[in-house]
Amino acid sequence: MQLVRQKEKFATKRRGTVCAVLAVLMAGAAASGCAAGEDGRAGGPREPVAGRPGAAAQKDAAAAEARRLKREQAARVAAARKWGLAKMPLAAPAPPAVKPRITTREGFEVEGGETLPPVFTTVPTKERIVFLTMDDGAEKDPELLRMMTELKIPYSAFLSDYVVSDDYGYFKDMQARGVTLNNHTLNHRYLPGLSKEEQRREICGEQDKLEKYFGKRPTLFRPPYGNYNGDTLRVARSCGIKAVPLWAAEAFPDHMEWREWDQDLHPGDIILTHFRGEEDWKGSMADMIRRVMKTVTDKGYAVARLEDYV
């Protein structure tokens, strides 16, 4: 029995020694882990410490981003000066993660239109942004493409094949620059005066043309003159149209025209203009851009991309 008690005593003493050694080792490992953690290894992710490689990399990245933004700003200032703008265009905010819900404007409804593409003149948003859209396609001014690219002003085109078909390449170049090409019918006819099947040829026929020459069937459609009826919207829906943006204001080289009673811009307003030249109005496409951008910028608005919101 004595032997047993001596063994138990020795075992107890040995366990105490082992525990003490383990405690020391664990403390050392913890200290080592904390030190390792500073460079992102055993101790898990930590904020880089000033003077360490991580902090230097972050500082370099921030400096590179600042230089990039400075270069972009300088390029925008130079482009505004080159193209004769009174002021540099304001930059639009980042588009929303979720697009706003678009509904038909009051007074623009058709009977049974609850499930039809919404007809609207303004996108619901609180941001001080507007949207620039261009119709038809008769004037194919290469200066417009360069101007809008250098100024980084987004716009959307609504094309009619009868004036586009003599130079699809011009609009392919436009598309390659990031412009969305949308539907404005084959022949720009007054749709409410046509039968349903005639409207189908105009709307769905243009969908086919746009897909053939530009690779995509658009989801936005603008009826010529802004005129439509229930058949127009039902036909448009049947060939892939999701929304029908009209306009709240119209831009010309020498003036603006307004739909609203206060003759002013509002957040989300859609601005209409046309592919026209000096034969049709008092100025060039570049003159029109200078005019509309002066109005937009003076009123504290930026131009955003319509398809990012609709």
Short mmCIF file of all heavy atoms in Angstrom, two decimals, residues 3 24 50 63 81 89 92 136 181 250 253 259 286 296:
data_model
loop_
_atom_site.label_atom_id
_atom_site.label_comp_id
_atom_site.label_asym_id
_atom_site.label_seq_id
_atom_site.Cartn_x
_atom_site.Cartn_y
_atom_site.Cartn_z
N LEU A 3 3.79 1.52 -1.35
CA LEU A 3 4.32 1.67 -2.68
C LEU A 3 3.31 2.38 -3.58
O LEU A 3 3.65 3.25 -4.35
CB LEU A 3 4.67 0.29 -3.25
CG LEU A 3 5.29 0.28 -4.65
CD1 LEU A 3 6.57 1.09 -4.67
CD2 LEU A 3 5.56 -1.15 -5.10
N VAL A 24 3.78 27.21 -19.80
CA VAL A 24 4.84 28.06 -20.35
C VAL A 24 4.84 28.01 -21.87
O VAL A 24 4.95 29.02 -22.56
CB VAL A 24 6.21 27.63 -19.78
CG1 VAL A 24 7.34 28.36 -20.51
CG2 VAL A 24 6.27 27.91 -18.29
N ALA A 50 1.86 50.79 -39.43
CA ALA A 50 2.61 51.76 -40.21
C ALA A 50 4.06 51.32 -40.32
O ALA A 50 4.68 50.92 -39.34
CB ALA A 50 2.53 53.13 -39.54
N ALA A 63 -2.48 56.21 -53.24
CA ALA A 63 -1.81 57.24 -54.03
C ALA A 63 -2.06 57.04 -55.52
O ALA A 63 -2.30 58.01 -56.26
CB ALA A 63 -0.31 57.22 -53.73
N ARG A 81 -13.12 72.09 -72.30
CA ARG A 81 -12.54 73.27 -72.94
C ARG A 81 -12.45 73.05 -74.46
O ARG A 81 -12.80 73.94 -75.25
CB ARG A 81 -11.16 73.55 -72.36
CG ARG A 81 -10.53 74.85 -72.85
CD ARG A 81 -9.14 75.05 -72.26
NE ARG A 81 -9.18 75.05 -70.79
CZ ARG A 81 -8.57 74.14 -70.04
NH1 ARG A 81 -7.90 73.15 -70.60
NH2 ARG A 81 -8.64 74.22 -68.72
N PRO A 89 -19.10 69.18 -67.31
CA PRO A 89 -20.27 68.41 -66.86
C PRO A 89 -20.06 67.81 -65.49
O PRO A 89 -18.95 67.38 -65.14
CB PRO A 89 -20.40 67.32 -67.93
CG PRO A 89 -19.69 67.86 -69.12
CD PRO A 89 -18.57 68.70 -68.59
N ALA A 92 -22.10 61.90 -62.68
CA ALA A 92 -23.27 61.22 -62.11
C ALA A 92 -22.85 60.29 -60.98
O ALA A 92 -21.75 59.74 -61.00
CB ALA A 92 -24.00 60.43 -63.18
N ASP A 136 -34.31 58.74 -83.97
CA ASP A 136 -34.33 58.59 -85.42
C ASP A 136 -33.00 58.05 -85.94
O ASP A 136 -32.86 56.86 -86.12
CB ASP A 136 -34.68 59.89 -86.15
CG ASP A 136 -36.02 60.47 -85.71
OD1 ASP A 136 -36.81 59.73 -85.10
OD2 ASP A 136 -36.25 61.67 -85.94
N LEU A 181 -28.65 50.83 -78.20
CA LEU A 181 -29.47 51.13 -79.37
C LEU A 181 -30.86 50.54 -79.15
O LEU A 181 -31.03 49.33 -79.02
CB LEU A 181 -28.83 50.55 -80.63
CG LEU A 181 -27.35 50.92 -80.84
CD1 LEU A 181 -26.82 50.28 -82.13
CD2 LEU A 181 -27.14 52.42 -80.85
N GLU A 250 -37.22 68.66 -74.31
CA GLU A 250 -36.61 68.42 -75.61
C GLU A 250 -35.55 69.47 -75.87
O GLU A 250 -35.76 70.67 -75.65
CB GLU A 250 -37.66 68.42 -76.72
CG GLU A 250 -37.09 68.05 -78.08
CD GLU A 250 -38.14 67.83 -79.15
OE1 GLU A 250 -39.35 67.91 -78.82
OE2 GLU A 250 -37.77 67.57 -80.31
N PRO A 253 -30.44 73.07 -80.67
CA PRO A 253 -29.20 73.83 -80.56
C PRO A 253 -29.38 75.24 -79.99
O PRO A 253 -28.43 75.80 -79.43
CB PRO A 253 -28.69 73.91 -82.01
CG PRO A 253 -29.33 72.76 -82.70
CD PRO A 253 -30.67 72.61 -82.05
N ARG A 259 -42.11 69.94 -71.10
CA ARG A 259 -43.45 69.35 -70.96
C ARG A 259 -44.13 69.87 -69.69
O ARG A 259 -45.34 70.08 -69.67
CB ARG A 259 -43.35 67.82 -70.89
CG ARG A 259 -44.71 67.12 -70.83
CD ARG A 259 -44.55 65.62 -70.59
NE ARG A 259 -43.90 64.94 -71.69
CZ ARG A 259 -44.54 64.42 -72.73
NH1 ARG A 259 -45.86 64.56 -72.84
NH2 ARG A 259 -43.87 63.78 -73.67
N ALA A 286 -23.08 68.97 -82.26
CA ALA A 286 -22.20 69.49 -81.20
C ALA A 286 -22.80 70.75 -80.57
O ALA A 286 -22.72 70.94 -79.36
CB ALA A 286 -20.81 69.77 -81.76
N VAL A 296 -28.31 71.72 -68.31
CA VAL A 296 -28.26 70.67 -67.29
C VAL A 296 -27.28 71.04 -66.18
O VAL A 296 -27.60 70.95 -64.98
CB VAL A 296 -27.85 69.32 -67.94
CG1 VAL A 296 -27.51 68.29 -66.88
CG2 VAL A 296 -28.99 68.81 -68.83
#
